[in-house]
């Protein structure tokens, strides 16, 4: 049982319309917070300047409310928290835990020895030979960043955590995942850094999200440790699959909450049909 100072969060990205899969994860997050009379916060992961759209923020708020979710206002927008991420980056820099990387994604892909599994948050394992030589002086970050910065992972260290839903998880740094991006050359923080910084700064005690992000958790655990922050507990929900066994994505517009609502489907029907079963697959269609 999680204590009554439970603080959870919903962290949608306003880059498309929310669909049934998001809705179910958020519903689980809300239920877990409610069960212990905890607090639920809403964070808009709006750092992706290319795919971000303001109308998706409005749609997301409206859809979440329509579904019956409530959270403690005000919403936290990552785009307004840049100084916090920059301070974390400076701390990692001062500790010598990051390095600048001029290699392209293509270079890394070509050099990566093992084929990587693929997936939303996935990066090929960064080849250690691309790191700056040991003992090399770290260049300053500079005011405006125009090069990628990566976190230097502790090769061979096993990172483990027990997921509240998926059970024990482990990955070996340098083998299962490599040096990952913390800041991009377009001067924006990476998802991994922003998420770890926010989960710590917002006092999140349990992260509930889709299990496609389990692989990100190992990286975020390393960042939290490097930043001297206590990690939250994690609860990763299985992704919802369509009738072909494919995970729902933003392109499944017919299953967006908006489209369902327009077809006259009620939140009660959605909850009854999709949120009660423990099974990740969709049974039939609405
Ligand atoms: N914003 C991320 C997404 O929509 C989720 C981040 C998280 O829960 O850590 O995939």
């Amino acid at each position: 049982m999680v204590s009554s100072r439970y603080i959870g969060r919903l962290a949608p990205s306003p880059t498309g319309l929310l669909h049934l899969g998001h809705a179910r994860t958020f519903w689980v997050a809300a239920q877990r917070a409610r069960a212990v009379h905890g607090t639920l916060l809403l964070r808009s992961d709006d750092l992706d300047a290319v795919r971000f759209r303001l109308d998706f923020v409005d749609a997301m708020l409206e859809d979440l409310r329509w579904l019956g979710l409530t959270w403690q206002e005000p919403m936290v927008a990552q785009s307004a928290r840049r100084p916090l991420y920059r301070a974390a980056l400076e701390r990692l820099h001062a500790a010598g835990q990051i390095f600048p990387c001029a290699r392209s994604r293509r270079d890394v892909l070509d050099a990566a020895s093992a084929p990587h599994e693929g997936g939303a948050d996935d990066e090929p394992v960064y080849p250690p030979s691309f790191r700056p030589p040991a003992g090399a002086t770290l260049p300053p970050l500079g005011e405006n960043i125009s090069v990628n910065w990566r976190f230097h992972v502790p090769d061979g260290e096993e990172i483990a955590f027990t997921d509240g839903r998926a059970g024990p998880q482990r990955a070996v740094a340098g083998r299962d995942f490599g040096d990952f991006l913390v800041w991009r050359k377009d001067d924006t923080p990476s998802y991994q850094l922003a998420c770890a910084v926010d989960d710590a700064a917002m006092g999140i005690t349990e992260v509930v999200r889709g299990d496609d992000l389990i692989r990100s958790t190992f990286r975020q655990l390393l960042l939290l440790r490097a930043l001297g922050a206590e990690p939250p507990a994690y609860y990763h929900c299985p992704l919802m699959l369509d009738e072909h066994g494919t995970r729902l994505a933003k392109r499944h517009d017919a299953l967006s909450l908006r489209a369902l609502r327009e077809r006259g489907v009620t939140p009660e029907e959605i909850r009854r049909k999709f949120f009660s079963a423990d099974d990740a697959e969709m049974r039939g269609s609405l």
Side-chain angles (χ1 to χ4, degrees):
M1 183 82 165
V2 192
S3 84
S4 60
R5 54 169 291 278
Y6 183 104
I7 305 178
R9 75 337 183 245
L10 311 173
S13 300
T15 54
L17 292 173
L18 296 181
H19 58 59
L20 272 178
H22 301 119
R24 193 169 71 162
T25 300
F26 295 151
W27 186 256
V28 172
Q31 292 300 109
R32 290 186 64 78
R34 189 187 310 180
V36 291
H37 307 290
T39 302
L40 189 64
L41 303 174
L42 175 65
R43 185 181 87 203
S44 176
D45 284 1
D46 59 354
L47 289 173
D48 183 341
V50 177
R51 293 188 302 150
F52 168 82
R53 274 177 32 193
L54 202 56
D55 54 332
F56 285 141
V57 180
D58 294 337
M60 165 179 114
L61 294 174
E62 196 181 298
D63 291 349
L64 291 173
R65 290 200 180 102
W66 174 75
L67 197 62
L69 294 176
T70 53
W71 53 88
Q72 185 179 289
E73 302 282 359
M75 177 182 83
V76 173
Q78 288 196 319
S79 55
R81 295 162 70 83
R82 239 185 106 83
L84 217 63
Y85 312 133
R86 173 72 196 207
L89 184 75
E90 284 169 14
R91 184 165 169 173
L92 297 174
H93 183 266
Q97 286 177 296
I98 56 174
F99 63 91
C101 163
R103 308 281 185 162
S104 67
R105 189 173 163 77
R106 187 77 250 165
D107 293 339
V108 177
L109 260 175
D110 289 347
S113 47
H116 66 294
E117 284 173 28
D121 77 307
D122 214 5
E123 295 178 42
V125 176
Y126 188 79
S129 60
F130 283 4
R131 287 173 176 160
T137 314
L138 203 56
L141 285 169
E143 186 96 11
N144 300 307
I145 293 181
S146 55
V147 63
N148 288 325
W149 284 82
R150 290 180 180 269
F151 185 85
H152 188 305
V153 303
D155 292 330
E157 183 182 333
E158 183 179 274
I159 318 297
F161 68 99
T162 301
D163 189 80
R165 189 177 191 293
Q169 306 292 321
R170 51 176 45 85
V172 175
R175 187 194 74 189
D176 300 322
F177 66 97
D179 300 340
F180 56 88
L181 282 176
V182 287
W183 208 274
R184 298 176 195 286
K185 63 180 183 207
D186 64 358
D187 207 7
T188 53
S190 73
Y191 157 67
Q192 307 294 357
L193 182 71
C195 182
V197 167
D198 278 338
D199 287 338
M202 293 162 72
I204 301 301
T205 60
E206 184 180 71
V207 166
V208 177
R209 59 186 174 194
D211 66 7
D212 54 328
L213 290 172
I214 286 184
R215 295 167 66 87
S216 284
T217 304
F218 301 111
R219 301 174 178 114
Q220 291 168 19
L221 285 171
L222 283 176
L223 285 174
L224 289 164
R225 184 174 76 187
L227 295 168
E230 271 302 305
Y234 292 93
Y235 188 98
H236 287 91
C237 305
L239 293 178
M240 199 177 254
L241 307 176
D242 68 11
E243 64 276 25
H244 309 294
T246 311
R247 56 179 271 215
L248 294 196
K250 287 186 173 137
R251 64 179 180 278
H252 283 80
D253 277 349
L255 296 174
S256 69
L257 295 181
R258 194 138 289 231
L260 295 170
R261 179 169 49 156
E262 276 158 17
R263 279 163 47 197
V265 178
T266 65
E268 292 70 32
E269 283 174 275
I270 292 182
R271 291 203 283 267
R272 195 177 60 245
K273 199 149 181 196
F274 294 109
F275 297 172
S276 48
D278 199 35
D279 188 302
E281 263 179 72
M282 293 185 36
R283 300 277 176 79
S285 54
L286 280 161

